[in-house]
Amino acid sequence: MSLVELIYDKEEHKKRIKDGMGYPYGNIETIFKVNGKLLGGAVWTEEYNVEGDVCDLYGFFQDILIGLAFLLDEGKSTREPYYRKDVEHSIMWHGFEVKNLDLAYSTSLHFMYNDYVFELDKDKDELIIHYYNGVCAYKKEKEGIMEKGMVRVPLKEFTKEIVKLAEDYLELVKNSEIPEEYDWRDDLQEYIKDVKKYHKERYGEDL
């Protein structure tokens, strides 16, 4: 099983882009799992059937790649002044137990009702993902389904899998016709490039 699972209907996504649906051209029902835990996706029934929740996938990859670049670099050249304030806001609303606010990054990953804080544990070189899944109406810990929780993963492995998913996504949509003012593909390529740069600086290996 992959460390990161991002499940969405690829053919339906391409069709929506072609038909000009799902503005801003990245929206699709999506399930996001890390280490088997549901971090994004809807659970509406007591049977715990998981459905995709609407997510802007360009925004998803944009935010997760920017956050990874920041954490891989430990903020030496990638820190923005609002990062800490965003983390403080997430802590206030959801009670996340974040220990190092200066090496943490907050985002919704473009799920409308969700919130995440990605925190670096420098000593273990692990990524701590604090999550709040706002459309998880029913919760069952043994099923890996909780409205709020935390998951730890190796930063190196997680980065590798996210870059692969982002590159696969760009390949999926490379021939899609997107109006120039909404075409984010070059931007996404730059975010991938940044993550690869900081990964190489941190680990001495190419992705």
Short mmCIF file of all heavy atoms in Angstrom, two decimals, residues 76-109:
data_model
loop_
_atom_site.label_atom_id
_atom_site.label_comp_id
_atom_site.label_asym_id
_atom_site.label_seq_id
_atom_site.Cartn_x
_atom_site.Cartn_y
_atom_site.Cartn_z
N LYS A 76 14.69 28.43 5.69
CA LYS A 76 15.86 29.31 5.54
C LYS A 76 15.68 30.31 4.40
O LYS A 76 16.12 31.45 4.49
CB LYS A 76 17.11 28.46 5.33
CG LYS A 76 17.54 27.70 6.58
CD LYS A 76 18.88 27.03 6.42
CE LYS A 76 18.80 25.79 5.57
NZ LYS A 76 18.11 24.67 6.21
N SER A 77 15.06 29.89 3.31
CA SER A 77 14.84 30.80 2.18
C SER A 77 13.41 30.78 1.67
O SER A 77 13.10 31.40 0.67
CB SER A 77 15.80 30.46 1.04
OG SER A 77 15.63 29.12 0.62
N THR A 78 12.55 30.06 2.37
CA THR A 78 11.18 29.86 1.87
C THR A 78 10.12 30.36 2.84
O THR A 78 8.92 30.21 2.58
CB THR A 78 10.92 28.37 1.60
OG1 THR A 78 11.28 27.61 2.77
CG2 THR A 78 11.74 27.88 0.42
N ARG A 79 10.52 30.95 3.95
CA ARG A 79 9.55 31.36 4.97
C ARG A 79 8.80 32.62 4.53
O ARG A 79 9.37 33.56 3.99
CB ARG A 79 10.25 31.64 6.30
CG ARG A 79 9.29 31.96 7.46
CD ARG A 79 10.08 32.32 8.72
NE ARG A 79 11.06 31.32 9.06
CZ ARG A 79 10.79 30.19 9.73
NH1 ARG A 79 9.55 29.95 10.12
NH2 ARG A 79 11.74 29.32 10.00
N GLU A 80 7.49 32.62 4.78
CA GLU A 80 6.67 33.81 4.57
C GLU A 80 6.15 34.28 5.94
O GLU A 80 5.89 33.45 6.82
CB GLU A 80 5.49 33.51 3.65
CG GLU A 80 5.88 33.13 2.22
CD GLU A 80 6.44 34.31 1.44
OE1 GLU A 80 6.29 35.47 1.90
OE2 GLU A 80 7.02 34.08 0.37
N PRO A 81 5.98 35.59 6.14
CA PRO A 81 5.61 36.10 7.46
C PRO A 81 4.26 35.60 7.97
O PRO A 81 4.04 35.57 9.18
CB PRO A 81 5.60 37.62 7.27
CG PRO A 81 5.52 37.84 5.80
CD PRO A 81 6.21 36.68 5.17
N TYR A 82 3.37 35.22 7.06
CA TYR A 82 2.03 34.81 7.50
C TYR A 82 1.95 33.33 7.89
O TYR A 82 0.93 32.88 8.40
CB TYR A 82 0.99 35.10 6.40
CG TYR A 82 1.27 34.43 5.08
CD1 TYR A 82 0.86 33.13 4.84
CD2 TYR A 82 1.92 35.11 4.06
CE1 TYR A 82 1.11 32.51 3.63
CE2 TYR A 82 2.17 34.51 2.84
CZ TYR A 82 1.77 33.20 2.63
OH TYR A 82 2.03 32.60 1.43
N TYR A 83 3.01 32.54 7.64
CA TYR A 83 2.93 31.11 7.91
C TYR A 83 2.59 30.83 9.38
O TYR A 83 1.71 30.04 9.69
CB TYR A 83 4.25 30.42 7.56
CG TYR A 83 4.50 30.21 6.08
CD1 TYR A 83 5.67 29.62 5.64
CD2 TYR A 83 3.56 30.59 5.13
CE1 TYR A 83 5.92 29.43 4.29
CE2 TYR A 83 3.80 30.40 3.77
CZ TYR A 83 4.99 29.81 3.36
OH TYR A 83 5.23 29.62 2.02
N ARG A 84 3.31 31.48 10.30
CA ARG A 84 3.08 31.23 11.73
C ARG A 84 1.68 31.68 12.14
O ARG A 84 1.01 30.98 12.92
CB ARG A 84 4.15 31.94 12.57
CG ARG A 84 4.01 31.61 14.06
CD ARG A 84 5.02 32.37 14.91
NE ARG A 84 4.76 32.14 16.33
CZ ARG A 84 5.47 31.34 17.10
NH1 ARG A 84 6.50 30.68 16.61
NH2 ARG A 84 5.17 31.19 18.38
N LYS A 85 1.22 32.82 11.62
CA LYS A 85 -0.12 33.28 11.97
C LYS A 85 -1.19 32.30 11.51
O LYS A 85 -2.18 32.08 12.20
CB LYS A 85 -0.36 34.67 11.37
CG LYS A 85 0.43 35.78 12.04
CD LYS A 85 0.10 37.14 11.47
CE LYS A 85 0.89 38.24 12.16
NZ LYS A 85 0.58 39.58 11.61
N ASP A 86 -1.01 31.72 10.32
CA ASP A 86 -1.95 30.72 9.82
C ASP A 86 -1.99 29.50 10.74
O ASP A 86 -3.06 28.95 11.03
CB ASP A 86 -1.57 30.28 8.41
CG ASP A 86 -1.88 31.33 7.36
OD1 ASP A 86 -2.56 32.33 7.68
OD2 ASP A 86 -1.43 31.15 6.20
N VAL A 87 -0.82 29.07 11.20
CA VAL A 87 -0.75 27.92 12.11
C VAL A 87 -1.44 28.26 13.43
O VAL A 87 -2.21 27.44 13.97
CB VAL A 87 0.72 27.51 12.35
CG1 VAL A 87 0.80 26.45 13.45
CG2 VAL A 87 1.34 26.98 11.05
N GLU A 88 -1.19 29.44 13.95
CA GLU A 88 -1.83 29.86 15.20
C GLU A 88 -3.35 29.86 15.06
O GLU A 88 -4.07 29.47 15.99
CB GLU A 88 -1.32 31.24 15.61
CG GLU A 88 0.12 31.25 16.08
CD GLU A 88 0.66 32.66 16.30
OE1 GLU A 88 -0.01 33.63 15.85
OE2 GLU A 88 1.73 32.80 16.91
N HIS A 89 -3.83 30.28 13.91
CA HIS A 89 -5.27 30.31 13.66
C HIS A 89 -5.84 28.88 13.67
O HIS A 89 -6.90 28.62 14.26
CB HIS A 89 -5.54 30.98 12.31
CG HIS A 89 -6.99 31.16 12.00
ND1 HIS A 89 -7.71 30.23 11.28
CD2 HIS A 89 -7.86 32.14 12.32
CE1 HIS A 89 -8.96 30.65 11.17
NE2 HIS A 89 -9.08 31.80 11.79
N SER A 90 -5.14 27.95 13.03
CA SER A 90 -5.60 26.55 13.01
C SER A 90 -5.60 25.95 14.41
O SER A 90 -6.52 25.20 14.78
CB SER A 90 -4.70 25.72 12.09
OG SER A 90 -4.83 26.13 10.75
N ILE A 91 -4.58 26.27 15.20
CA ILE A 91 -4.52 25.78 16.58
C ILE A 91 -5.69 26.32 17.39
O ILE A 91 -6.32 25.59 18.16
CB ILE A 91 -3.17 26.18 17.23
CG1 ILE A 91 -2.02 25.43 16.56
CG2 ILE A 91 -3.19 25.91 18.73
CD1 ILE A 91 -0.65 25.93 16.98
N MET A 92 -6.00 27.59 17.20
CA MET A 92 -7.09 28.22 17.94
C MET A 92 -8.42 27.54 17.63
O MET A 92 -9.23 27.27 18.52
CB MET A 92 -7.17 29.70 17.58
CG MET A 92 -8.30 30.44 18.30
SD MET A 92 -8.41 32.17 17.78
CE MET A 92 -9.04 32.00 16.10
N TRP A 93 -8.65 27.22 16.36
CA TRP A 93 -9.94 26.68 15.96
C TRP A 93 -10.07 25.19 16.26
O TRP A 93 -11.16 24.70 16.58
CB TRP A 93 -10.17 26.92 14.47
CG TRP A 93 -10.68 28.30 14.19
CD1 TRP A 93 -9.98 29.36 13.70
CD2 TRP A 93 -12.02 28.78 14.41
NE1 TRP A 93 -10.78 30.47 13.60
CE2 TRP A 93 -12.05 30.14 14.03
CE3 TRP A 93 -13.19 28.19 14.89
CZ2 TRP A 93 -13.19 30.92 14.12
CZ3 TRP A 93 -14.33 28.97 14.98
CH2 TRP A 93 -14.33 30.32 14.60
N HIS A 94 -8.98 24.44 16.12
CA HIS A 94 -9.10 22.98 16.18
C HIS A 94 -8.32 22.34 17.31
O HIS A 94 -8.41 21.13 17.51
CB HIS A 94 -8.66 22.37 14.84
CG HIS A 94 -9.41 22.89 13.66
ND1 HIS A 94 -10.78 22.74 13.52
CD2 HIS A 94 -8.99 23.60 12.58
CE1 HIS A 94 -11.17 23.32 12.41
NE2 HIS A 94 -10.12 23.85 11.82
N GLY A 95 -7.56 23.13 18.05
CA GLY A 95 -6.84 22.57 19.19
C GLY A 95 -5.70 21.65 18.81
O GLY A 95 -5.31 20.78 19.60
N PHE A 96 -5.12 21.82 17.63
CA PHE A 96 -3.98 21.00 17.25
C PHE A 96 -2.83 21.20 18.23
O PHE A 96 -2.54 22.34 18.62
CB PHE A 96 -3.49 21.37 15.84
CG PHE A 96 -4.46 21.09 14.73
CD1 PHE A 96 -4.51 21.93 13.62
CD2 PHE A 96 -5.31 20.00 14.76
CE1 PHE A 96 -5.39 21.69 12.57
CE2 PHE A 96 -6.19 19.74 13.73
CZ PHE A 96 -6.24 20.58 12.63
N GLU A 97 -2.15 20.13 18.59
CA GLU A 97 -1.03 20.20 19.52
C GLU A 97 0.27 20.31 18.72
O GLU A 97 1.01 19.34 18.56
CB GLU A 97 -1.02 19.00 20.45
CG GLU A 97 -2.25 18.97 21.36
CD GLU A 97 -2.23 17.80 22.33
OE1 GLU A 97 -1.20 17.09 22.41
OE2 GLU A 97 -3.26 17.59 23.02
N VAL A 98 0.53 21.50 18.23
CA VAL A 98 1.73 21.76 17.42
C VAL A 98 2.83 22.25 18.35
O VAL A 98 2.67 23.22 19.07
CB VAL A 98 1.43 22.82 16.34
CG1 VAL A 98 2.67 23.10 15.51
CG2 VAL A 98 0.27 22.36 15.46
N LYS A 99 3.99 21.59 18.31
CA LYS A 99 5.09 21.93 19.22
C LYS A 99 6.02 23.00 18.64
O LYS A 99 6.56 23.82 19.37
CB LYS A 99 5.89 20.67 19.56
CG LYS A 99 5.09 19.66 20.37
CD LYS A 99 5.92 18.43 20.71
CE LYS A 99 5.10 17.44 21.54
NZ LYS A 99 5.88 16.21 21.85
N ASN A 100 6.26 22.95 17.33
CA ASN A 100 7.19 23.88 16.71
C ASN A 100 6.46 24.73 15.68
O ASN A 100 6.37 24.37 14.50
CB ASN A 100 8.35 23.12 16.06
CG ASN A 100 9.48 24.04 15.64
OD1 ASN A 100 9.31 25.26 15.56
ND2 ASN A 100 10.64 23.47 15.37
N LEU A 101 5.95 25.85 16.12
CA LEU A 101 5.16 26.71 15.23
C LEU A 101 5.99 27.35 14.13
O LEU A 101 5.45 27.76 13.10
CB LEU A 101 4.45 27.81 16.03
CG LEU A 101 3.10 27.43 16.66
CD1 LEU A 101 3.28 26.42 17.78
CD2 LEU A 101 2.37 28.66 17.17
N ASP A 102 7.31 27.42 14.33
CA ASP A 102 8.17 28.04 13.32
C ASP A 102 8.53 27.09 12.20
O ASP A 102 9.05 27.52 11.16
CB ASP A 102 9.45 28.58 13.98
CG ASP A 102 9.17 29.79 14.86
OD1 ASP A 102 8.34 30.63 14.46
OD2 ASP A 102 9.76 29.87 15.96
N LEU A 103 8.28 25.80 12.39
CA LEU A 103 8.48 24.82 11.33
C LEU A 103 7.18 24.08 11.09
O LEU A 103 7.12 22.84 11.11
CB LEU A 103 9.63 23.86 11.68
CG LEU A 103 11.04 24.44 11.53
CD1 LEU A 103 12.08 23.43 11.95
CD2 LEU A 103 11.30 24.91 10.11
N ALA A 104 6.14 24.84 10.86
CA ALA A 104 4.81 24.29 10.59
C ALA A 104 4.13 25.15 9.53
O ALA A 104 4.41 26.35 9.40
CB ALA A 104 3.99 24.24 11.86
N TYR A 105 3.22 24.52 8.80
CA TYR A 105 2.57 25.16 7.66
C TYR A 105 1.10 24.76 7.66
O TYR A 105 0.77 23.58 7.78
CB TYR A 105 3.25 24.69 6.37
CG TYR A 105 2.68 25.23 5.08
CD1 TYR A 105 3.06 26.48 4.60
CD2 TYR A 105 1.77 24.49 4.33
CE1 TYR A 105 2.57 26.98 3.42
CE2 TYR A 105 1.26 24.98 3.14
CZ TYR A 105 1.66 26.22 2.68
OH TYR A 105 1.16 26.71 1.50
N SER A 106 0.21 25.74 7.55
CA SER A 106 -1.23 25.49 7.63
C SER A 106 -1.89 25.67 6.26
O SER A 106 -1.55 26.58 5.51
CB SER A 106 -1.87 26.45 8.63
OG SER A 106 -3.26 26.28 8.68
N THR A 107 -2.86 24.80 5.95
CA THR A 107 -3.56 24.86 4.67
C THR A 107 -4.86 24.06 4.76
O THR A 107 -4.97 23.14 5.57
CB THR A 107 -2.69 24.27 3.54
OG1 THR A 107 -3.47 24.15 2.34
CG2 THR A 107 -2.15 22.90 3.89
N SER A 108 -5.80 24.38 3.89
CA SER A 108 -7.01 23.57 3.76
C SER A 108 -6.82 22.48 2.71
O SER A 108 -7.69 21.61 2.55
CB SER A 108 -8.19 24.45 3.33
OG SER A 108 -8.00 24.90 1.99
N LEU A 109 -5.71 22.53 1.96
CA LEU A 109 -5.49 21.68 0.79
C LEU A 109 -6.64 21.78 -0.20
O LEU A 109 -6.87 20.89 -1.00
CB LEU A 109 -5.24 20.22 1.20
CG LEU A 109 -3.94 19.97 1.94
CD1 LEU A 109 -3.82 18.49 2.31
CD2 LEU A 109 -2.71 20.41 1.13
#
